Short mmCIF file of all heavy atoms in Angstrom, two decimals:
data_model
loop_
_atom_site.label_atom_id
_atom_site.label_comp_id
_atom_site.label_asym_id
_atom_site.label_seq_id
_atom_site.Cartn_x
_atom_site.Cartn_y
_atom_site.Cartn_z
N MET A 219 9.40 13.28 23.56
CA MET A 219 8.08 13.86 23.65
C MET A 219 7.78 14.72 22.44
O MET A 219 6.67 14.74 21.95
CB MET A 219 7.99 14.66 24.95
CG MET A 219 6.67 15.33 25.17
SD MET A 219 5.42 14.10 25.53
CE MET A 219 4.01 15.12 25.68
N ALA A 220 8.77 15.45 21.96
CA ALA A 220 8.54 16.36 20.84
C ALA A 220 8.37 15.61 19.53
O ALA A 220 7.65 16.07 18.65
CB ALA A 220 9.68 17.36 20.73
N LEU A 221 9.04 14.46 19.38
CA LEU A 221 8.97 13.73 18.11
C LEU A 221 7.56 13.26 17.78
O LEU A 221 7.12 13.43 16.64
CB LEU A 221 9.95 12.56 18.13
CG LEU A 221 10.12 11.84 16.80
CD1 LEU A 221 10.62 12.79 15.72
CD2 LEU A 221 11.08 10.68 16.95
N PRO A 222 6.79 12.66 18.70
CA PRO A 222 5.42 12.29 18.37
C PRO A 222 4.54 13.49 18.01
O PRO A 222 3.69 13.40 17.12
CB PRO A 222 4.90 11.60 19.63
CG PRO A 222 6.11 11.13 20.33
CD PRO A 222 7.17 12.13 20.02
N ILE A 223 4.78 14.62 18.64
CA ILE A 223 3.99 15.82 18.33
C ILE A 223 4.31 16.29 16.92
O ILE A 223 3.41 16.66 16.16
CB ILE A 223 4.27 16.92 19.37
CG1 ILE A 223 3.74 16.48 20.74
CG2 ILE A 223 3.65 18.24 18.95
CD1 ILE A 223 4.15 17.38 21.87
N VAL A 224 5.57 16.23 16.55
CA VAL A 224 5.97 16.63 15.20
C VAL A 224 5.38 15.68 14.17
O VAL A 224 4.87 16.11 13.13
CB VAL A 224 7.51 16.68 15.08
CG1 VAL A 224 7.96 16.88 13.65
CG2 VAL A 224 8.07 17.77 15.98
N ARG A 225 5.41 14.38 14.46
CA ARG A 225 4.82 13.40 13.54
C ARG A 225 3.34 13.66 13.33
O ARG A 225 2.83 13.62 12.21
CB ARG A 225 5.02 11.99 14.06
CG ARG A 225 6.39 11.46 13.87
CD ARG A 225 6.42 10.01 14.27
NE ARG A 225 7.77 9.57 14.48
CZ ARG A 225 8.12 8.48 15.12
NH1 ARG A 225 7.20 7.71 15.64
NH2 ARG A 225 9.38 8.16 15.26
N TRP A 226 2.62 13.88 14.42
CA TRP A 226 1.19 14.16 14.30
C TRP A 226 0.94 15.45 13.54
O TRP A 226 0.01 15.55 12.74
CB TRP A 226 0.54 14.23 15.69
CG TRP A 226 0.15 12.88 16.19
CD1 TRP A 226 0.80 12.13 17.12
CD2 TRP A 226 -0.97 12.10 15.77
NE1 TRP A 226 0.17 10.94 17.31
CE2 TRP A 226 -0.94 10.90 16.48
CE3 TRP A 226 -1.98 12.31 14.86
CZ2 TRP A 226 -1.89 9.90 16.31
CZ3 TRP A 226 -2.94 11.32 14.68
CH2 TRP A 226 -2.88 10.14 15.41
N GLY A 227 1.77 16.44 13.78
CA GLY A 227 1.62 17.70 13.06
C GLY A 227 1.84 17.54 11.57
O GLY A 227 1.08 18.08 10.75
N VAL A 228 2.86 16.79 11.21
CA VAL A 228 3.13 16.54 9.78
C VAL A 228 1.99 15.73 9.17
O VAL A 228 1.53 16.02 8.06
CB VAL A 228 4.49 15.83 9.61
CG1 VAL A 228 4.67 15.33 8.19
CG2 VAL A 228 5.62 16.77 10.00
N ALA A 229 1.52 14.71 9.87
CA ALA A 229 0.44 13.88 9.35
C ALA A 229 -0.84 14.69 9.16
O ALA A 229 -1.52 14.58 8.14
CB ALA A 229 0.19 12.69 10.27
N LEU A 230 -1.18 15.49 10.15
CA LEU A 230 -2.39 16.32 10.03
C LEU A 230 -2.26 17.38 8.94
O LEU A 230 -3.20 17.65 8.20
CB LEU A 230 -2.72 16.96 11.38
CG LEU A 230 -3.23 16.00 12.45
CD1 LEU A 230 -3.38 16.73 13.78
CD2 LEU A 230 -4.54 15.38 12.03
N GLY A 231 -1.07 17.97 8.84
CA GLY A 231 -0.83 18.96 7.80
C GLY A 231 -0.92 18.35 6.40
O GLY A 231 -1.54 18.92 5.50
N ALA A 232 -0.32 17.18 6.21
CA ALA A 232 -0.40 16.51 4.92
C ALA A 232 -1.83 16.08 4.60
O ALA A 232 -2.28 16.20 3.46
CB ALA A 232 0.54 15.30 4.90
N GLY A 233 -2.54 15.61 5.60
CA GLY A 233 -3.94 15.24 5.39
C GLY A 233 -4.81 16.43 5.03
O GLY A 233 -5.66 16.34 4.14
N ALA A 234 -4.58 17.55 5.70
CA ALA A 234 -5.34 18.76 5.37
C ALA A 234 -5.02 19.25 3.97
O ALA A 234 -5.92 19.65 3.22
CB ALA A 234 -5.03 19.85 6.40
N LEU A 235 -3.75 19.17 3.58
CA LEU A 235 -3.37 19.56 2.22
C LEU A 235 -4.01 18.66 1.18
O LEU A 235 -4.51 19.13 0.15
CB LEU A 235 -1.84 19.52 2.09
CG LEU A 235 -1.27 19.88 0.72
CD1 LEU A 235 -1.53 21.36 0.43
CD2 LEU A 235 0.22 19.60 0.69
N TRP A 236 -4.05 17.37 1.46
CA TRP A 236 -4.68 16.43 0.52
C TRP A 236 -6.17 16.70 0.38
O TRP A 236 -6.70 16.74 -0.72
CB TRP A 236 -4.43 14.99 0.98
CG TRP A 236 -4.95 13.99 -0.01
CD1 TRP A 236 -4.33 13.56 -1.14
CD2 TRP A 236 -6.20 13.31 0.05
NE1 TRP A 236 -5.12 12.66 -1.78
CE2 TRP A 236 -6.27 12.48 -1.08
CE3 TRP A 236 -7.27 13.31 0.95
CZ2 TRP A 236 -7.36 11.65 -1.32
CZ3 TRP A 236 -8.35 12.50 0.70
CH2 TRP A 236 -8.39 11.68 -0.43
N TRP A 237 -6.86 16.90 1.51
CA TRP A 237 -8.29 17.19 1.44
C TRP A 237 -8.56 18.51 0.73
O TRP A 237 -9.53 18.64 -0.01
CB TRP A 237 -8.91 17.19 2.84
CG TRP A 237 -9.30 15.81 3.25
CD1 TRP A 237 -8.71 15.03 4.19
CD2 TRP A 237 -10.36 15.02 2.70
NE1 TRP A 237 -9.31 13.82 4.26
CE2 TRP A 237 -10.34 13.79 3.36
CE3 TRP A 237 -11.32 15.24 1.72
CZ2 TRP A 237 -11.25 12.77 3.07
CZ3 TRP A 237 -12.22 14.23 1.43
CH2 TRP A 237 -12.18 13.02 2.10
N TRP A 238 -7.71 19.50 0.95
CA TRP A 238 -7.87 20.78 0.24
C TRP A 238 -7.79 20.54 -1.26
O TRP A 238 -8.61 21.06 -2.02
CB TRP A 238 -6.78 21.76 0.68
CG TRP A 238 -6.66 22.94 -0.21
CD1 TRP A 238 -7.44 24.06 -0.20
CD2 TRP A 238 -5.73 23.11 -1.29
NE1 TRP A 238 -7.03 24.92 -1.19
CE2 TRP A 238 -5.99 24.36 -1.87
CE3 TRP A 238 -4.70 22.33 -1.81
CZ2 TRP A 238 -5.26 24.84 -2.95
CZ3 TRP A 238 -3.98 22.81 -2.87
CH2 TRP A 238 -4.26 24.05 -3.43
N ALA A 239 -6.83 19.75 -1.72
CA ALA A 239 -6.67 19.48 -3.14
C ALA A 239 -7.86 18.71 -3.70
O ALA A 239 -8.36 19.04 -4.78
CB ALA A 239 -5.37 18.71 -3.39
N VAL A 240 -8.32 17.72 -2.98
CA VAL A 240 -9.46 16.92 -3.47
C VAL A 240 -10.72 17.76 -3.54
O VAL A 240 -11.44 17.73 -4.54
CB VAL A 240 -9.66 15.67 -2.57
CG1 VAL A 240 -10.98 14.99 -2.88
CG2 VAL A 240 -8.50 14.72 -2.72
N LEU A 241 -10.99 18.53 -2.49
CA LEU A 241 -12.19 19.37 -2.50
C LEU A 241 -12.10 20.46 -3.56
O LEU A 241 -13.08 20.78 -4.22
CB LEU A 241 -12.42 19.98 -1.12
CG LEU A 241 -12.84 18.98 -0.05
CD1 LEU A 241 -12.91 19.65 1.31
CD2 LEU A 241 -14.17 18.34 -0.41
N ARG A 242 -10.91 21.01 -3.76
CA ARG A 242 -10.75 22.02 -4.79
C ARG A 242 -10.97 21.41 -6.18
O ARG A 242 -11.60 22.04 -7.04
CB ARG A 242 -9.36 22.65 -4.68
CG ARG A 242 -9.17 23.80 -5.61
CD ARG A 242 -8.01 24.66 -5.15
NE ARG A 242 -7.54 25.50 -6.23
CZ ARG A 242 -8.08 26.68 -6.55
NH1 ARG A 242 -9.09 27.14 -5.84
NH2 ARG A 242 -7.60 27.38 -7.55
N LEU A 243 -10.48 20.20 -6.41
CA LEU A 243 -10.71 19.53 -7.69
C LEU A 243 -12.20 19.29 -7.91
O LEU A 243 -12.69 19.40 -9.04
CB LEU A 243 -9.97 18.20 -7.75
CG LEU A 243 -8.51 18.26 -8.13
CD1 LEU A 243 -7.88 16.88 -7.95
CD2 LEU A 243 -8.33 18.73 -9.55
N ALA A 244 -12.91 18.94 -6.86
CA ALA A 244 -14.33 18.60 -6.99
C ALA A 244 -15.22 19.83 -7.10
O ALA A 244 -16.26 19.78 -7.78
CB ALA A 244 -14.76 17.76 -5.80
N LEU A 245 -14.85 20.93 -6.46
CA LEU A 245 -15.78 22.05 -6.34
C LEU A 245 -15.42 23.28 -7.16
O LEU A 245 -16.31 24.08 -7.47
CB LEU A 245 -15.91 22.45 -4.87
CG LEU A 245 -16.40 21.34 -3.93
CD1 LEU A 245 -16.35 21.80 -2.49
CD2 LEU A 245 -17.79 20.88 -4.31
N VAL A 246 -14.17 23.47 -7.50
CA VAL A 246 -13.75 24.70 -8.18
C VAL A 246 -13.50 24.38 -9.65
O VAL A 246 -12.73 23.48 -9.98
CB VAL A 246 -12.46 25.26 -7.52
CG1 VAL A 246 -11.96 26.48 -8.26
CG2 VAL A 246 -12.72 25.58 -6.07
N PRO A 247 -14.15 25.12 -10.54
CA PRO A 247 -14.00 24.81 -11.96
C PRO A 247 -12.60 25.08 -12.53
O PRO A 247 -12.22 24.46 -13.50
CB PRO A 247 -15.02 25.71 -12.65
CG PRO A 247 -15.50 26.66 -11.64
CD PRO A 247 -15.11 26.17 -10.30
N ASP A 248 -11.82 25.97 -11.94
CA ASP A 248 -10.51 26.27 -12.49
C ASP A 248 -9.37 25.58 -11.76
O ASP A 248 -8.22 26.00 -11.85
CB ASP A 248 -10.28 27.78 -12.52
CG ASP A 248 -10.21 28.39 -11.12
OD1 ASP A 248 -10.67 27.73 -10.18
OD2 ASP A 248 -9.69 29.51 -10.98
N ALA A 249 -9.66 24.48 -11.07
CA ALA A 249 -8.60 23.72 -10.40
C ALA A 249 -7.70 23.10 -11.46
O ALA A 249 -8.15 22.71 -12.52
CB ALA A 249 -9.20 22.65 -9.51
N GLY A 250 -6.42 23.02 -11.15
CA GLY A 250 -5.49 22.60 -12.19
C GLY A 250 -4.60 21.45 -11.81
O GLY A 250 -4.95 20.59 -10.99
N ALA A 251 -3.42 21.46 -12.42
CA ALA A 251 -2.48 20.36 -12.30
C ALA A 251 -1.91 20.23 -10.88
O ALA A 251 -1.64 19.12 -10.43
CB ALA A 251 -1.36 20.53 -13.30
N LEU A 252 -1.73 21.34 -10.19
CA LEU A 252 -1.18 21.27 -8.84
C LEU A 252 -2.10 20.49 -7.91
O LEU A 252 -1.65 19.58 -7.19
CB LEU A 252 -0.95 22.68 -8.28
CG LEU A 252 -0.48 22.73 -6.82
CD1 LEU A 252 0.90 22.11 -6.70
CD2 LEU A 252 -0.49 24.14 -6.31
N GLU A 253 -3.36 20.79 -7.95
CA GLU A 253 -4.32 20.07 -7.10
C GLU A 253 -4.40 18.60 -7.49
O GLU A 253 -4.49 17.71 -6.66
CB GLU A 253 -5.70 20.72 -7.17
CG GLU A 253 -5.78 22.07 -6.53
CD GLU A 253 -5.39 23.20 -7.48
OE1 GLU A 253 -4.95 22.93 -8.60
OE2 GLU A 253 -5.50 24.37 -7.06
N GLY A 254 -4.38 18.35 -8.79
CA GLY A 254 -4.42 16.97 -9.26
C GLY A 254 -3.20 16.17 -8.82
O GLY A 254 -3.31 15.01 -8.43
N ALA A 255 -2.04 16.81 -8.89
CA ALA A 255 -0.81 16.13 -8.47
C ALA A 255 -0.81 15.84 -6.97
O ALA A 255 -0.40 14.75 -6.54
CB ALA A 255 0.40 16.97 -8.84
N VAL A 256 -1.27 16.80 -6.18
CA VAL A 256 -1.33 16.58 -4.73
C VAL A 256 -2.31 15.47 -4.40
O VAL A 256 -2.02 14.58 -3.59
CB VAL A 256 -1.70 17.89 -4.00
CG1 VAL A 256 -2.00 17.63 -2.53
CG2 VAL A 256 -0.59 18.91 -4.13
N ALA A 257 -3.49 15.49 -5.04
CA ALA A 257 -4.50 14.47 -4.76
C ALA A 257 -4.02 13.09 -5.21
O ALA A 257 -4.15 12.11 -4.47
CB ALA A 257 -5.81 14.83 -5.45
N ALA A 258 -3.45 13.00 -6.40
CA ALA A 258 -2.98 11.71 -6.90
C ALA A 258 -1.79 11.20 -6.07
O ALA A 258 -1.68 10.01 -5.79
CB ALA A 258 -2.59 11.81 -8.36
N GLY A 259 -0.91 12.10 -5.69
CA GLY A 259 0.24 11.69 -4.88
C GLY A 259 -0.16 11.18 -3.52
O GLY A 259 0.37 10.17 -3.04
N GLY A 260 -1.10 11.85 -2.88
CA GLY A 260 -1.57 11.39 -1.57
C GLY A 260 -2.28 10.06 -1.66
O GLY A 260 -2.11 9.18 -0.81
N TRP A 261 -3.07 9.87 -2.73
CA TRP A 261 -3.76 8.60 -2.92
C TRP A 261 -2.75 7.50 -3.19
O TRP A 261 -2.86 6.40 -2.66
CB TRP A 261 -4.75 8.72 -4.07
CG TRP A 261 -5.50 7.47 -4.32
CD1 TRP A 261 -6.54 6.97 -3.59
CD2 TRP A 261 -5.24 6.52 -5.35
NE1 TRP A 261 -6.96 5.78 -4.11
CE2 TRP A 261 -6.18 5.48 -5.20
CE3 TRP A 261 -4.32 6.45 -6.37
CZ2 TRP A 261 -6.22 4.39 -6.05
CZ3 TRP A 261 -4.37 5.35 -7.22
CH2 TRP A 261 -5.31 4.34 -7.05
N GLY A 262 -1.74 7.80 -3.99
CA GLY A 262 -0.72 6.81 -4.29
C GLY A 262 0.06 6.41 -3.06
O GLY A 262 0.41 5.24 -2.87
N LEU A 263 0.35 7.36 -2.19
CA LEU A 263 1.07 7.04 -0.96
C LEU A 263 0.24 6.15 -0.05
O LEU A 263 0.78 5.33 0.70
CB LEU A 263 1.45 8.32 -0.22
CG LEU A 263 2.61 9.10 -0.80
CD1 LEU A 263 2.79 10.40 -0.03
CD2 LEU A 263 3.88 8.29 -0.77
N SER A 264 -1.07 6.28 -0.10
CA SER A 264 -1.91 5.45 0.75
C SER A 264 -1.89 4.00 0.32
O SER A 264 -2.27 3.11 1.08
CB SER A 264 -3.35 5.97 0.76
OG SER A 264 -3.96 5.72 -0.50
N LEU A 265 -1.45 3.73 -0.91
CA LEU A 265 -1.40 2.36 -1.39
C LEU A 265 -0.09 1.66 -1.08
O LEU A 265 0.04 0.46 -1.30
CB LEU A 265 -1.61 2.34 -2.92
CG LEU A 265 -2.95 2.87 -3.38
CD1 LEU A 265 -3.01 2.85 -4.90
CD2 LEU A 265 -4.10 2.06 -2.81
N LEU A 266 0.89 2.39 -0.58
CA LEU A 266 2.18 1.78 -0.27
C LEU A 266 2.04 0.79 0.89
O LEU A 266 1.37 1.07 1.88
CB LEU A 266 3.20 2.84 0.12
CG LEU A 266 3.75 3.69 -0.99
CD1 LEU A 266 4.65 4.77 -0.41
CD2 LEU A 266 4.52 2.86 -1.98
N PRO A 267 2.67 -0.34 0.78
CA PRO A 267 2.61 -1.32 1.87
C PRO A 267 3.63 -0.96 2.97
O PRO A 267 4.69 -1.56 3.08
CB PRO A 267 2.97 -2.63 1.19
CG PRO A 267 3.84 -2.22 0.05
CD PRO A 267 3.32 -0.87 -0.40
N VAL A 268 3.31 0.01 3.78
CA VAL A 268 4.26 0.51 4.77
C VAL A 268 4.37 -0.39 5.99
O VAL A 268 5.27 -0.22 6.81
CB VAL A 268 3.91 1.95 5.23
CG1 VAL A 268 4.07 2.91 4.08
CG2 VAL A 268 2.51 2.00 5.79
N HIS A 269 3.50 -1.36 6.12
CA HIS A 269 3.53 -2.23 7.28
C HIS A 269 4.04 -3.62 6.93
O HIS A 269 3.73 -4.58 7.60
CB HIS A 269 2.14 -2.33 7.91
CG HIS A 269 1.65 -1.02 8.42
ND1 HIS A 269 2.21 -0.38 9.49
CD2 HIS A 269 0.67 -0.21 7.99
CE1 HIS A 269 1.59 0.76 9.71
NE2 HIS A 269 0.66 0.89 8.81
N CYS A 270 4.83 -3.73 5.88
CA CYS A 270 5.36 -5.02 5.46
C CYS A 270 6.62 -5.36 6.24
O CYS A 270 7.36 -4.49 6.66
CB CYS A 270 5.67 -5.01 3.97
SG CYS A 270 4.20 -4.96 2.96
N VAL A 271 6.84 -6.64 6.41
CA VAL A 271 8.07 -7.13 7.02
C VAL A 271 8.63 -8.20 6.09
O VAL A 271 7.91 -8.76 5.28
CB VAL A 271 7.82 -7.74 8.43
CG1 VAL A 271 7.35 -6.70 9.40
CG2 VAL A 271 6.87 -8.89 8.36
N PRO A 272 9.90 -8.52 6.20
CA PRO A 272 10.45 -9.60 5.39
C PRO A 272 9.72 -10.91 5.66
O PRO A 272 9.27 -11.18 6.77
CB PRO A 272 11.91 -9.69 5.86
CG PRO A 272 12.20 -8.36 6.44
CD PRO A 272 10.92 -7.85 7.01
N LYS A 273 9.58 -11.73 4.63
CA LYS A 273 8.83 -12.97 4.74
C LYS A 273 9.37 -13.89 5.83
O LYS A 273 8.62 -14.59 6.49
CB LYS A 273 8.84 -13.68 3.39
CG LYS A 273 7.86 -14.81 3.28
CD LYS A 273 7.80 -15.32 1.88
CE LYS A 273 6.73 -16.36 1.74
NZ LYS A 273 6.60 -16.84 0.37
N ALA A 274 10.67 -13.86 6.03
CA ALA A 274 11.27 -14.73 7.05
C ALA A 274 10.81 -14.35 8.46
O ALA A 274 10.74 -15.19 9.34
CB ALA A 274 12.79 -14.66 6.96
N ARG A 275 10.48 -13.08 8.67
CA ARG A 275 10.07 -12.63 10.01
C ARG A 275 8.55 -12.57 10.18
O ARG A 275 8.06 -12.34 11.28
CB ARG A 275 10.63 -11.24 10.27
CG ARG A 275 12.11 -11.25 10.48
CD ARG A 275 12.67 -9.92 10.91
NE ARG A 275 11.68 -8.93 11.28
CZ ARG A 275 11.85 -7.62 11.17
NH1 ARG A 275 12.97 -7.15 10.70
NH2 ARG A 275 10.92 -6.78 11.54
N ALA A 276 7.80 -12.74 9.12
CA ALA A 276 6.35 -12.61 9.20
C ALA A 276 5.73 -13.82 9.90
O ALA A 276 6.08 -14.96 9.63
CB ALA A 276 5.75 -12.47 7.80
N ALA A 277 4.81 -13.53 10.80
CA ALA A 277 4.13 -14.61 11.52
C ALA A 277 3.12 -15.28 10.59
O ALA A 277 2.31 -14.63 9.96
CB ALA A 277 3.41 -14.05 12.74
N GLY A 278 3.19 -16.59 10.46
CA GLY A 278 2.25 -17.33 9.65
C GLY A 278 2.52 -17.28 8.16
O GLY A 278 1.66 -17.64 7.37
N ALA A 279 3.70 -16.86 7.75
CA ALA A 279 4.02 -16.79 6.32
C ALA A 279 4.22 -18.19 5.77
O ALA A 279 4.74 -19.08 6.43
CB ALA A 279 5.27 -15.95 6.10
N VAL A 280 3.80 -18.37 4.53
CA VAL A 280 3.96 -19.65 3.86
C VAL A 280 5.42 -19.78 3.41
O VAL A 280 5.98 -18.86 2.83
CB VAL A 280 3.01 -19.74 2.64
CG1 VAL A 280 3.21 -21.03 1.89
CG2 VAL A 280 1.58 -19.60 3.09
N ALA A 281 6.01 -20.90 3.67
CA ALA A 281 7.41 -21.12 3.30
C ALA A 281 7.58 -21.14 1.79
O ALA A 281 6.68 -21.55 1.06
CB ALA A 281 7.90 -22.44 3.90
N ALA A 282 8.73 -20.71 1.34
CA ALA A 282 9.02 -20.69 -0.09
C ALA A 282 9.04 -22.13 -0.62
O ALA A 282 9.62 -23.02 -0.01
CB ALA A 282 10.35 -20.01 -0.35
N GLY A 283 8.39 -22.36 -1.73
CA GLY A 283 8.36 -23.67 -2.34
C GLY A 283 7.29 -24.60 -1.81
O GLY A 283 7.18 -25.74 -2.23
N ARG A 284 6.48 -24.14 -0.88
CA ARG A 284 5.47 -25.02 -0.29
C ARG A 284 4.44 -25.45 -1.32
O ARG A 284 4.06 -26.61 -1.38
CB ARG A 284 4.77 -24.30 0.86
CG ARG A 284 3.66 -25.12 1.47
CD ARG A 284 3.07 -24.42 2.68
NE ARG A 284 1.92 -25.16 3.14
CZ ARG A 284 0.67 -24.73 3.08
NH1 ARG A 284 0.42 -23.54 2.59
NH2 ARG A 284 -0.32 -25.44 3.52
N TRP A 285 3.99 -24.53 -2.15
CA TRP A 285 2.98 -24.87 -3.14
C TRP A 285 3.55 -25.76 -4.23
O TRP A 285 2.89 -26.66 -4.73
CB TRP A 285 2.35 -23.61 -3.73
CG TRP A 285 1.50 -22.92 -2.73
CD1 TRP A 285 1.76 -21.74 -2.11
CD2 TRP A 285 0.27 -23.39 -2.19
NE1 TRP A 285 0.78 -21.44 -1.22
CE2 TRP A 285 -0.17 -22.43 -1.25
CE3 TRP A 285 -0.51 -24.52 -2.39
CZ2 TRP A 285 -1.35 -22.58 -0.53
CZ3 TRP A 285 -1.69 -24.65 -1.67
CH2 TRP A 285 -2.08 -23.70 -0.76
N ARG A 286 4.81 -25.52 -4.60
CA ARG A 286 5.45 -26.39 -5.59
C ARG A 286 5.49 -27.83 -5.08
O ARG A 286 5.23 -28.77 -5.82
CB ARG A 286 6.86 -25.89 -5.88
CG ARG A 286 7.02 -25.31 -7.24
CD ARG A 286 8.42 -24.87 -7.52
NE ARG A 286 8.63 -23.57 -6.90
CZ ARG A 286 9.62 -23.26 -6.11
NH1 ARG A 286 10.56 -24.12 -5.84
NH2 ARG A 286 9.72 -22.07 -5.57
N ALA A 287 5.83 -27.99 -3.83
CA ALA A 287 5.90 -29.33 -3.25
C ALA A 287 4.51 -29.97 -3.17
O ALA A 287 4.34 -31.15 -3.43
CB ALA A 287 6.54 -29.28 -1.87
N ALA A 288 3.51 -29.18 -2.82
CA ALA A 288 2.16 -29.71 -2.68
C ALA A 288 1.58 -30.16 -4.02
O ALA A 288 0.87 -31.16 -4.10
CB ALA A 288 1.25 -28.66 -2.05
N TRP A 289 1.88 -29.42 -5.08
CA TRP A 289 1.35 -29.76 -6.39
C TRP A 289 2.25 -30.70 -7.16
O TRP A 289 1.90 -31.17 -8.23
CB TRP A 289 1.12 -28.49 -7.21
CG TRP A 289 -0.07 -27.73 -6.73
CD1 TRP A 289 -0.06 -26.72 -5.83
CD2 TRP A 289 -1.42 -27.95 -7.08
NE1 TRP A 289 -1.33 -26.28 -5.60
CE2 TRP A 289 -2.20 -27.02 -6.36
CE3 TRP A 289 -2.08 -28.85 -7.92
CZ2 TRP A 289 -3.57 -26.96 -6.47
CZ3 TRP A 289 -3.46 -28.77 -8.02
CH2 TRP A 289 -4.18 -27.84 -7.30
N GLY A 290 3.42 -30.98 -6.63
CA GLY A 290 4.32 -31.91 -7.29
C GLY A 290 4.98 -31.34 -8.54
O GLY A 290 5.38 -32.09 -9.42
N VAL A 291 5.10 -30.05 -8.63
CA VAL A 291 5.70 -29.42 -9.80
C VAL A 291 7.20 -29.63 -9.73
O VAL A 291 7.82 -29.45 -8.70
CB VAL A 291 5.38 -27.91 -9.84
CG1 VAL A 291 6.10 -27.23 -10.98
CG2 VAL A 291 3.88 -27.71 -9.92
N GLY A 292 7.79 -30.04 -10.84
CA GLY A 292 9.24 -30.18 -10.89
C GLY A 292 9.74 -31.58 -10.60
O GLY A 292 10.92 -31.85 -10.70
N ARG A 293 8.87 -32.50 -10.28
CA ARG A 293 9.33 -33.86 -10.06
C ARG A 293 8.64 -34.76 -11.08
O ARG A 293 7.51 -34.53 -11.50
CB ARG A 293 9.05 -34.33 -8.64
CG ARG A 293 7.63 -34.44 -8.32
CD ARG A 293 7.40 -34.96 -6.94
NE ARG A 293 5.97 -34.83 -6.65
CZ ARG A 293 5.42 -35.12 -5.54
NH1 ARG A 293 6.14 -35.57 -4.55
NH2 ARG A 293 4.13 -34.98 -5.36
N ALA A 294 9.31 -35.78 -11.45
CA ALA A 294 8.77 -36.70 -12.46
C ALA A 294 7.68 -37.56 -11.84
O ALA A 294 7.79 -38.03 -10.71
CB ALA A 294 9.89 -37.57 -13.01
N SER A 295 6.63 -37.76 -12.57
CA SER A 295 5.55 -38.63 -12.10
C SER A 295 5.52 -39.90 -12.94
O SER A 295 6.03 -39.95 -14.05
CB SER A 295 4.22 -37.90 -12.18
OG SER A 295 3.95 -37.54 -13.51
N ALA A 296 4.92 -40.91 -12.41
CA ALA A 296 4.83 -42.18 -13.12
C ALA A 296 3.92 -42.00 -14.34
O ALA A 296 2.89 -41.32 -14.25
CB ALA A 296 4.29 -43.25 -12.19
N PRO A 297 4.29 -42.60 -15.46
CA PRO A 297 3.44 -42.48 -16.65
C PRO A 297 2.11 -43.17 -16.44
O PRO A 297 2.02 -44.20 -15.77
CB PRO A 297 4.26 -43.14 -17.75
CG PRO A 297 5.29 -43.96 -17.06
CD PRO A 297 5.48 -43.38 -15.70
N ARG A 298 1.07 -42.60 -17.01
CA ARG A 298 -0.27 -43.18 -16.90
C ARG A 298 -0.42 -44.33 -17.90
O ARG A 298 0.12 -44.29 -18.97
CB ARG A 298 -1.33 -42.12 -17.16
CG ARG A 298 -1.35 -41.07 -16.09
CD ARG A 298 -2.50 -40.15 -16.32
NE ARG A 298 -2.53 -39.17 -15.25
CZ ARG A 298 -3.47 -38.31 -15.10
NH1 ARG A 298 -4.46 -38.25 -15.95
NH2 ARG A 298 -3.45 -37.48 -14.09
N ARG A 299 -1.20 -45.31 -17.54
CA ARG A 299 -1.42 -46.46 -18.44
C ARG A 299 -2.81 -46.41 -18.98
O ARG A 299 -3.76 -46.09 -18.51
CB ARG A 299 -1.20 -47.75 -17.70
CG ARG A 299 0.23 -47.90 -17.33
CD ARG A 299 0.42 -49.22 -16.69
NE ARG A 299 1.79 -49.25 -16.18
CZ ARG A 299 2.43 -50.34 -15.98
NH1 ARG A 299 1.87 -51.50 -16.20
NH2 ARG A 299 3.65 -50.32 -15.54
#
């Protein structure tokens, strides 16, 4: 029971810190490197693919080599006349 509460607390705290940095960068003329680093770091973390699974376990994943086989890459073709 306590673990989900801690997770939500950390998530809300990190989100509030990120918004503070972004708003400070936008509104305060003397905002500096600390706010920029927090804002850029939070934005960068949002781009991480945290919901990825290995291709072998992914539902509907294309098998390795499927496109090579479909396009005939790597096999000899009959010469054109």
Side-chain angles (χ1 to χ4, degrees):
M219 179 71 182
L221 188 60
I223 294 171
V224 171
R225 283 187 197 164
W226 275 103
V228 169
L230 289 174
L235 179 67
W236 185 82
W237 274 108
W238 166 81
V240 169
L241 291 174
R242 186 161 162 85
L243 278 172
L245 301 174
V246 177
D248 65 342
L252 175 65
E253 291 87 354
V256 170
W261 180 77
L263 285 175
S264 70
L265 298 178
L266 286 175
V268 294
H269 297 292
C270 290
V271 295
K273 192 172 186 177
R275 289 187 10 208
V280 177
R284 177 175 174 248
W285 290 110
R286 249 182 280 129
W289 287 94
V291 175
R293 65 177 171 183
S295 60
R298 294 186 178 186
R299 293 184 187 204

